[in-house]
Amino acid sequence: MIIFLRHGQAENNTKKILAGRSPGVDLTQVGIQQAEQSGKMLESLNISAIYSSPIDRALQTAEIVGKHCDLDITNDDRLIELVMGKFTKMPYDQIFAKH
């Protein structure tokens, strides 16, 4: 069985900013709770491996889920976020207004 899980709510989500690959974009408290809930749900599914994007918010989510499933995380650069170029760290409203 393959399960795909996106990261929990991150700071860029609440600030409505396009983060891309920016480091230091962490999960919010809500995002941490979402990851904990996901981990609890997935505990009984006998997951054999967890692969994560190397971006902070994805790793934080994967580590929380991994704790519940008693698994280590494997970073996989193929799962990394797109490069957002000039839109990186730009608020959504500004992107929509100008582009």
Side-chain angles (χ1 to χ4, degrees), residues 78-90:
R78 295 173 296 176
L79 300 174
I80 198 164
E81 183 69 72
L82 296 171
V83 174
M84 300 298 175
K86 66 182 179 181
F87 299 118
T88 301
K89 294 204 172 182
M90 188 180 288

Side-chain angles (χ1 to χ4, degrees), residues 7-57:
H7 60 76
Q9 183 188 70
E11 294 168 353
N12 67 303
N13 301 130
T14 59
K15 296 177 182 175
K16 297 184 179 181
I17 294 173
L18 198 59
R21 295 181 180 183
S22 301
V25 179
D26 296 324
L27 294 177
T28 63
Q29 285 301 319
V30 169
I32 292 169
Q33 291 171 349
Q34 291 169 336
E36 290 283 353
Q37 290 169 340
S38 296
K40 288 176 186 175
M41 267 184 13
L42 296 172
E43 280 176 343
S44 64
L45 296 182
N46 296 321
I47 295 171
S48 60
I50 297 177
Y51 295 88
S52 176
S53 162
I55 61 172
D56 294 341
R57 57 197 180 271

